[in-house]
Each structure stands twice: as C-alpha cells, then as structure tokens.
Amino acid sequence: MTRLLSACLALIAFTIPATAQDVTDYTLDNGMEVVVIEDHRAPVVVHMVWYRAGSADEEPGVSGIAHFLEHLLFKATDDLESGELSRVVAENGGSDNAFTSADYTAYFQRIAADRLELMMTMEADRMRDLQLSEADIKTERDVILEERAMRTDNSPGALLNEQMQAALYMNHPYGTPNIGWRHEMEELGLEDALAYYRKYYAPNNAILVVAGDVEPENVLELARKHYGPLEPTEGLEPRDRPKEPVPLAERRITYSDPRVGQPYVIRTYLAPERNPGAQEEAAALVYLSEILGGNPATSVFGQALQFESNVAVSTFAGYSPLSLDISSLRIGIVPSQGVSLEEAEAAMDGVLKDFFETGIDPEQFERIKTRIRANDIYAQDSMRGLANRYGAALTSGLTIEDVKAWPDVLQSVTPDDVMKVAEKVLQRSHAVTGWLTVPETSPEPEAEVSQ
C-alpha cells in the first residue's frame, strides 16, 4: 500500500505541471508595495493588506498591542461606522478577517472581482483614518483578555509552550507571547494603540496583495487612486531587533497542572530561517522535520517509538521556515500508558542517536520529496493560499524571486544536506526541553483511631 501511494504521488507530482503564477510587482510613490497574482479560473478576488509589524515589533511593556490593534481596526473611521466594513463585505457576498503574528499583521477580504474597488476604498480608509474612543478600548480589551483565557490560560499545553518560548529566546522579542502577557494586556490603553497605529499602519510599511480574476494594470490604477494619496510615516527605519546570544546551556522546564490529560515531552531548538537568496538550510530543515516526525507510519520517531517499541502513543516534529529572524524546530513524544516522561525522553534521544549513526533511508527521502512537490501543486489551487504565500514571505524579509524559487530549492535538497543541518541544529545546548505533567499527589494522612 505504501509503495502504491508513493507511486500515485509521483505520478501526480511529475506528470502534472505546476500552475504558472503570473506575479506582477509595483511600488507606489508613497512606498506601498503592490503585488498582483493573476488567477482567472473564477470571477473572484482576494484582497489583502499586510503590515510589516507584529508582536515582535512592540515596545517593552505593551505586549499584545499588535494583536489588540488588529481587533480595533474593525471599529469606526472618519467614513465608516464601527463594524461597517465587515457588514458591507458580507452584504456583497464576501468574507473578511485578520490575523497577527510576530512579524506581520494582515487584513483580507475574499469577494467577487467586480467589488475590488469597494474593498480598496474601505481598507485604505482604515489605514490612516481610524477613530478610536475609550469605550472601544475597554470593550476590545475585555475581548482579547477573554481570548487569552480561552486559548492560553485554560490550556496547559499552551502555557508550557509560552514558558518554553520565553526560555528559548533569551534576548529576542520572539520570547514574548503573540497575544501578550496578561498583566500587560490589562493595562493597554488608547495612547498605546494609537502610537503603534500611527507608526506602523502606513503605506510605506504595507504590502497590498491582490490575487484572482484581475489585470495587473487595473489593480495598479485602483491602488494609485485609493492608496496612493495616503501619507507615509516619515523616518520609519528597517526592522533591526535584538539578536540572540550564542546559547551555551540546555534549558529545562517542567510544568505541572491538574488539568493535564496526557503528559508529554517536547523539545525546541533554535534553527535558521529562510533568508533572501539563501533558503537551502531552511529547505533541508523542512525535510528533517518530516523525516523525524512527519507521517507516524514512515517517520523515524513513529516507526521506532510507536510501532516497534510501543513506547509512545504519538510522536511529532515541526519546523517553521518563515520567520524574519531566527526560527525554531521542535520534536516531541507522548508516552504510552505506564511509560514515564523520563523513559520517554530517553527513548526519543536514543532514536536521535541511532538516526545520526545510520542516516536517512533513501526510499523514505524520495517519498517525502514527492509529497512536498505534490503539496506545492495542490496549494496553488487556492487564491487565498497564493496570496498568503507571497504576503507572509515578503513581510518576513524574502523577495518575490525567493518565493518563486522555493519549490525548486526544496526539490534540490539531498540527504547529505539534511544530515549536515541536523548536526548543526540538534544540539542540546541550543534547546529547551519541556515536560508537561500532572502534579504528584501526596498520600492522605491516616486517620487517628479513637481509643
């Protein structure tokens, strides 16, 4: 069955050519970049505005302000009532939303292609003309605090991850949670939001990405009309964040919580990110994470720990190549019943040791290469996916040429490349190891017997 699946993937990946991406790039006089991705298969368009600003760009003491402002941007402008933008999008049969990461904040609408100008009119309006009140601050601050409670405070795994990130990044702002520290979120105010907004929400800090049934020259004309008159932020310098020192010692964290249903071990290593014109190490790390902890039936961890020894009920590995600054790779194991976390970690480390001694199975490597190629082809079926691909890359310091080259860079990776980057990254001194566990319970004292 595995061989049949591999053969089918190979047939899909290498007999069907990838969809040609017609990508056009412009820069307006005020510094705003405009990227147009033509896709004429349906009369639909995805309109996105990406800001080169995320949680890692916040000033100390106001963590969470980037995500907070994302919420506030749906309030009133000088021309729009609070909530009007989303209402108009829905009335025109579209959908909209926004999201914030450490490196960017993005706003998007998916709608009929003939409504593109309407989207630009509204999005350009809130780029520079947001009107906030103290009532808006109080209402949305309660919303983001509740969001933190639901996604982080009520999740032992999320709390462990938050502590591990803070330990992994000793100097870089990636160690601050994207949603913010609760004690700082509670104090976020109107001036905090406006200061971040006025500095970063400007055409010279933004990228407009339009994907769908459009002509590049028409998009450029509309962009000049609606975004072109907006004033840039003067003196906005390129992002230059604090650098991580060379790590010298492994860090370990144990987080105990009575709500834990399944204890596990997770380890996160500092790892190189994709860089302009130099994406080869990141590509090799994509393969390394798949080889170690991708498909449980074929991955190194899955085969050794789940199927051969039954030490684990699940194993995993993951890597995030898109990052403006240094990224991370993580591995982990969820032990089987009766297996302690200490035994599980030792077993995981034993498999890593064997991996460095035996190397990569050539057949497994080719299966992964085929699957990566097939996934890239499938991803091109989504307008939103293509818009995300370019927007996230450009706001993370890459170029359009890097995005176009990425599939070929991935296909050029060799087993030797993977082993070389594994030796560089998988060092315990570069890692934080975390245990998620249930608190030990003390035995109940024996009741005294009355004489």
Side-chain angles (χ1 to χ4, degrees), residues 190-212:
L190 179 60
E191 287 307 313
D192 299 321
L194 290 177
Y196 191 93
Y197 175 70
R198 289 165 180 158
K199 180 177 181 179
Y200 292 117
Y201 279 59
N204 57 326
N205 197 47
I207 301 170
L208 170 65
V209 180
V210 177

Side-chain angles (χ1 to χ4, degrees), residues 442-451:
S442 301
E444 292 292 332
E446 295 183 8
E448 292 186 6
V449 179
S450 300
Q451 299 295 328

Side-chain angles (χ1 to χ4, degrees), residues 54-215:
S55 60
D57 300 294
E58 299 165 340
E59 293 293 330
V62 290
S63 63
I65 196 65
H67 173 251
F68 188 26
L69 186 58
E70 176 210 311
H71 281 245
L72 293 170
L73 228 70
F74 291 86
K75 299 299 182 180
T77 70
D78 56 350
D79 294 326
L80 295 170
E81 297 178 356
S82 181
E84 184 177 355
L85 187 148
S86 294
R87 177 177 59 78
V88 170
V89 172
E91 289 173 350
N92 282 271
S95 60
D96 76 311
N97 214 324
F99 48 90
T100 304
S101 82
D103 295 321
Y104 53 74
T105 309
Y107 301 82
F108 71 90
Q109 301 87 34
R110 186 180 187 276
I111 203 161
D114 62 358
R115 304 294 197 276
L116 177 60
E117 182 168 12
L118 176 60
M119 299 302 103
M120 286 198 188
T121 301
M122 295 189 296
E123 195 67 76
D125 183 44
R126 66 176 174 176
M127 181 179 287
R128 279 312 214 184
D129 292 328
L130 188 64
Q131 306 292 311
L132 295 177
S133 67
E134 289 290 353
D136 294 330
I137 295 297
K138 184 179 185 305
T139 300
E140 288 305 316
R141 189 171 55 211
D142 289 342
V143 171
I144 62 169
L145 286 168
E146 179 60 25
E147 185 176 339
R148 181 185 162 89
M150 292 175 59
R151 296 185 178 182
T152 304
D153 299 336
N154 289 336
S155 169
L159 290 170
L160 173 64
N161 179 69
E162 188 175 77
Q163 297 295 307
M164 290 183 66
Q165 284 290 106
L168 183 67
Y169 294 101
M170 297 183 290
N171 194 48
H172 193 282
Y174 286 165
T176 299
N178 194 47
I179 197 168
W181 298 112
R182 172 171 282 277
H183 70 284
E184 293 184 347
M185 294 169 66
E186 292 171 341
E187 301 298 325
L188 294 177
L190 179 60
E191 287 307 313
D192 299 321
L194 290 177
Y196 191 93
Y197 175 70
R198 289 165 180 158
K199 180 177 181 179
Y200 292 117
Y201 279 59
N204 57 326
N205 197 47
I207 301 170
L208 170 65
V209 180
V210 177
D213 189 19
V214 293
E215 298 295 334

Side-chain angles (χ1 to χ4, degrees), residues 232-250:
T233 294
E234 297 296 333
L236 187 62
E237 297 178 353
R239 291 182 282 185
D240 185 17
R241 297 159 174 170
K243 303 296 187 292
E244 273 298 296
V246 176
L248 302 178
E250 179 188 11

